[in-house]
Amino acid sequence: MFQTEGRVALSDKLDVVSQRMARLTDRTCVVLLVLLVLDVWLGVFARYVWPLPITFMEEAARYLMIWVALLAVSSCIAKREHIGMQVLFVMLPAPARRVLLALVDGLGLVFFLLLLFYGIGMVERGARVTTMIYGISKQLPFAAVPVSAAFAVVQLALVASRDQLRLSVQRDLVVCP
C-alpha cells in the first residue's frame, strides 16, 4: 500500500512541476504573441495608413512567430495535445498501451535531445550570420530551437514519468500519446 501511495504522491508532484512549467511557457508565449500582433498591426499601419520609414516589422514578426511556435511545443506536451492515432492505441490491451506509450515517449526524448544538440551548433553558426534588416547576429532567433528543445525534453520527461507512475497504480487508465 505504501508503494502505491508513494507512486501517487510522486506522480502528483511531477504533475505540479509540469503544470507550473507549462503555465510559465504559456505566459511567455502570450507575451510574445501580443508583441507579434502589435508588430504586424504597426506594419499594416506604417504601410497603408501613415507611411512611416519603419523597416523591421516583417523580420521581427518572423522571429517572434518562430519563438512562439517552438515554445508552444512544450506546453502541448504537458497536456498531451499533439496529434496521435488514439483509435488504435485505445484498442490495445493495458500492458501493450503502457509499453507503446513508453516507446513513443522515449522516441520523443531522443528526437528532442538530438534537436537540442544540433540546435546548439546552429546557434553557434548563427553568431557569424547577420539578419538582413537589423544587421544583428542570428544567434537570438536561432536560439529558439535549442531552448524549446530543452523545454520539450524536461516537459516530456516529467509527463512520461508521471504517466508511467499513474499506469503502474491504475492499470486500466488510458493515457494516449
Side-chain angles (χ1 to χ4, degrees), residues 36-52:
L36 174 61
V37 169
L38 291 174
D39 177 64
V40 171
W41 284 351
L42 179 62
V44 170
F45 184 79
R47 180 173 288 174
Y48 298 110
V49 178
W50 190 11
L52 297 171

Side-chain angles (χ1 to χ4, degrees), residues 52-68:
L52 297 171
I54 302 174
T55 57
F56 65 85
M57 282 89 60
E58 181 184 339
E59 195 170 53
R62 181 181 318 127
Y63 297 137
L64 286 168
M65 184 174 55
I66 290 169
W67 270 95
V68 169

Side-chain angles (χ1 to χ4, degrees), residues 67-131:
W67 270 95
V68 169
L70 292 179
L71 283 176
V73 169
S74 68
S75 290
C76 290
I77 289 172
K79 301 169 188 99
R80 290 217 182 256
E81 290 182 341
H82 284 101
I83 296 172
M85 291 296 293
Q86 296 178 1
V87 173
L88 299 175
F89 187 78
V90 174
M91 294 170 65
L92 295 172
R97 281 196 311 258
R98 186 172 179 194
V99 169
L100 185 58
L101 182 66
L103 181 65
V104 169
D105 288 342
L107 287 172
L109 280 170
V110 168
F111 171 75
F112 287 118
L113 284 169
L114 287 170
L115 195 60
L116 172 63
F117 177 75
Y118 287 108
I120 291 170
M122 191 172 90
V123 171
E124 290 172 351
R125 286 186 303 280
R128 296 184 297 270
V129 180
T130 59
T131 62

Side-chain angles (χ1 to χ4, degrees), residues 10-29 70-82 101 104-110 112-113 116 146-164 166 175-177:
L10 181 57
S11 171
D12 291 343
K13 287 179 183 178
L14 291 171
D15 192 43
V16 167
V17 173
S18 173
Q19 293 308 316
R20 285 183 181 166
M21 185 176 166
R23 201 173 313 120
L24 176 66
T25 306
D26 288 345
R27 289 179 179 162
T28 303
C29 286
L70 292 179
L71 283 176
V73 169
S74 68
S75 290
C76 290
I77 289 172
K79 301 169 188 99
R80 290 217 182 256
E81 290 182 341
H82 284 101
L101 182 66
V104 169
D105 288 342
L107 287 172
L109 280 170
V110 168
F112 287 118
L113 284 169
L116 172 63
V147 168
S148 63
F151 277 35
V153 165
V154 172
Q155 195 64 264
L156 189 53
L158 289 168
V159 169
S161 301
R162 175 200 68 196
D163 290 344
Q164 288 297 325
R166 286 182 179 169
V175 177
C176 294

